[in-house]
Amino acid sequence: MWIEENNQLRRTFVFEDFTEAFSFMTRVAFLAEKHNHHPNWCNVYNKVEIHLCTHDAGDTITDRDRKLAAAIDKLHQEG
């Protein structure tokens, strides 16, 4: 579930291990390129934390962030 905090959408994804987490990040990277909207994120072992905001709109949440968040959720569900 995405949390709206400090003008960002934030979500942490947890995986079985580092390989699954990194594979997810790779898929998200291709998705972000497609959306021309890139996340701030952090990976530690099996956790990937993603923060979304639109820098061009003054570092606030916009429809671009919500659309990318929905696409990331769909990607995560597809596994």
Side-chain angles (χ1 to χ4, degrees), residues 2-56:
W2 291 90
I3 298 169
E4 195 169 316
E5 180 179 76
N6 298 324
N7 291 322
Q8 296 182 352
L9 291 177
R10 178 178 59 85
R11 181 168 178 187
T12 301
F13 296 87
V14 180
F15 300 91
E16 288 290 320
D17 55 28
F18 176 75
T19 302
E20 283 188 21
F22 195 84
S23 175
F24 174 71
M25 290 178 72
T26 301
R27 293 191 317 273
V28 170
F30 283 105
L31 183 65
E33 277 295 304
K34 225 169 138 177
H35 283 249
N36 192 30
H37 194 51
H38 305 92
N40 293 321
W41 56 11
C42 176
N43 165 242
V44 177
Y45 184 59
N46 68 331
K47 293 180 184 173
V48 176
E49 186 171 319
I50 300 177
H51 296 254
L52 299 173
C53 69
T54 302
H55 305 294
D56 295 347

Side-chain angles (χ1 to χ4, degrees), residues 62-78:
T62 66
D63 283 342
R64 293 181 74 196
D65 304 298
R66 295 185 196 290
K67 287 177 184 175
L68 183 55
I72 291 170
D73 283 345
K74 184 178 178 188
L75 186 72
H76 183 251
Q77 291 169 356
E78 292 170 355

